Amino acid sequence: MNRRDVLTGIGAGAAMLLADGFRIRASPRSEFRSADLPKLAITIDDPTTNAPALYDANKKNDLLLATLERHKIKAALFVCGKRVDSDAGKILVKSWSDAGHMICNHSYSHLYFNAPKLPFDVYRDDFLKGEAIIAGSASFKKFYRFPFLKEGETKEKRDGFRKLLADHGYQNGSVTIDTSDWYIDERLKARLKKDASANLDSYRDYYLAHVWDRARYYDKLAVEIEGRQIAHTILLHHTLTNALWLDGLITMFKSKGWLMIDAEQAFKDPIFNAQPEILPAGESLVWALAKQAGKIELRYPGEDDTYEKDAMDTLGL
């Protein structure tokens, strides 16, 4: 696959076999009638205008928006201010707002809240600085997503920031399905840096299989904890990997009986009112509720590059 194919091959994954042996087929929305179907909303973190020389940032952004438009899905874009604090960044955020997607706060500097030496007021000010970057967007919504999904390592920081969010009219923009899509993207870009014409089929297949595996895991946790099908929010990133294969990912979920819904609709599910009393606070909301219930053995953190490295090494990815 050459560089031009990398930029234009967004639909390549739609016809390929996945690791579990199912072929992706689109399913008409009219088939989905049951309230018991698993439901999924797309949320995307860290939009950026920066791009390696191997691909164009505008093309990447256009591919992501085109995929969502093709599937008639409204996502939530969680903006880290420092990545779009420029004229080009303002144009990028506006392109999502103009398309009707939620524009939400993901801090300014992407600080690690669980760091013991990070003062609360520094994190608070960074949160407010992040809001200032996006508050003028027509589709700005007061949802905050903690960088790294870390919500405080002490009760004082956890509860203090929850109060701050409430005082400013915010809701936690929680993830229910966590993924390591960002790590797959790092490996993909490293391969392209070495060989711009590399065949990317194996990366696509690994990405789809990884996301599907994580979705099944967190959905099973949710049903065990809540006793019902919830509206899921999945964590993805503004990356080349998703630009190329988000179409295949959405088509995969539809083919497996999941109902794709808008992010704003998903966040109305009562589960997003939960505030798990765990420390350190954070991770997937489903993970945190399972941890609070104390019934299930869980790895910590919920997702990380270390869980994918050996498998990708073995596959030569």
Side-chain angles (χ1 to χ4, degrees):
M1 182 179 288
N2 58 36
R3 284 178 58 187
R4 184 174 181 182
D5 289 334
V6 169
L7 293 174
T8 60
I10 187 170
M16 299 301 296
L17 292 175
L18 298 182
D20 62 4
F22 287 92
R23 184 177 295 275
I24 300 172
R25 299 185 184 91
S27 297
R29 183 178 291 266
S30 61
E31 292 181 13
F32 299 117
R33 301 183 185 277
S34 172
D36 294 328
L37 288 172
K39 296 172 284 291
L40 182 68
I42 302 295
T43 72
I44 296 179
D45 286 12
D46 298 325
T48 178
T49 60
N50 295 331
L54 287 169
Y55 64 98
D56 176 80
N58 291 329
K59 181 68 173 179
K60 175 186 68 174
N61 192 60
D62 290 347
L63 288 171
L64 286 164
L65 285 171
T67 293
L68 293 168
E69 174 60 27
R70 183 160 49 253
H71 289 276
K72 306 303 179 187
I73 293 170
K74 301 301 182 186
L77 187 72
F78 284 87
V79 178
C80 175
K82 69 176 183 179
R83 305 187 202 280
V84 296
D85 196 1
S86 64
D87 289 342
K90 292 176 183 177
I91 293 171
L92 185 153
V93 173
K94 187 175 186 298
S95 70
W96 285 75
S97 182
D98 288 349
H101 302 291
M102 296 170 61
I103 305 299
C104 307
N105 191 351
H106 191 39
S107 83
Y108 183 86
S109 304
H110 212 271
L111 301 175
Y112 190 85
F113 194 35
N114 284 14
K117 294 184 178 180
L118 177 64
F120 181 89
D121 59 347
V122 171
Y123 194 82
R124 175 202 63 206
D125 292 348
D126 195 71
F127 154 75
L128 294 171
K129 187 175 180 181
E131 178 184 294
I133 294 292
I134 59 174
S137 297
S139 60
F140 169 58
K141 302 291 182 183
K142 287 192 170 185
F143 286 82
Y144 181 72
R145 177 162 293 166
F146 289 82
F148 310 101
L149 304 184
K150 301 300 186 271
E151 301 182 18
E153 83 287 10
T154 67
K155 185 178 186 298
E156 291 72 25
K157 287 170 72 171
R158 180 196 70 193
D159 294 351
F161 209 81
R162 286 177 177 176
K163 183 178 185 304
L164 180 70
L165 290 177
D167 288 347
H168 285 265
Y170 270 80
Q171 180 175 331
N172 191 332
S174 301
V175 168
T176 62
I177 298 172
D178 195 2
T179 76
S180 294
D181 70 316
W182 58 272
Y183 180 63
I184 298 169
D185 188 71
E186 286 183 1
R187 304 272 297 227
L188 171 73
K189 288 186 291 189
R191 172 58 59 86
L192 288 173
K193 189 173 182 179
K194 292 180 180 178
D195 180 6
S197 63
N199 187 302
L200 303 181
D201 290 355
S202 295
Y203 289 90
R204 176 202 57 221
D205 293 346
Y206 189 92
Y207 159 83
L208 291 172
H210 165 73
V211 173
W212 177 239
D213 176 73
R214 296 294 81 202
R216 287 186 297 178
Y217 170 75
Y218 287 107
D219 185 55
K220 183 174 182 291
L221 271 187
V223 172
E224 290 176 355
I225 297 302
E226 293 291 297
R228 65 180 178 90
Q229 288 289 351
I230 68 167
H232 284 287
T233 52
I234 191 168
L235 175 58
L236 300 173
H237 289 80
H238 192 269
T239 59
L240 175 62
T241 300
N242 285 306
L244 291 174
W245 301 314
L246 180 61
D247 182 76
L249 183 147
I250 293 170
T251 304
M252 174 184 71
F253 275 102
K254 288 180 176 180
S255 76
K256 296 177 183 296
W258 286 54
L259 176 62
M260 303 302 301
I261 62 174
D262 293 343
E264 193 163 8
Q265 178 186 352
F267 281 121
K268 293 177 181 178
D269 189 300
I271 194 173
F272 292 100
N273 296 324
Q275 295 189 329
E277 297 291 318
I278 64 167
L279 289 172
E283 306 305 302
S284 153
L285 177 59
V286 170
W287 187 100
L289 288 170
K291 182 70 173 179
Q292 178 177 259
K295 299 178 180 179
I296 303 166
E297 291 186 8
L298 302 164
R299 66 188 187 185
Y300 184 84
E303 304 298 327
D304 204 358
D305 54 354
T306 55
Y307 305 137
E308 308 306 321
K309 183 180 184 304
D310 288 347
M312 296 192 78
D313 286 349
T314 299
L315 292 170
L317 301 177

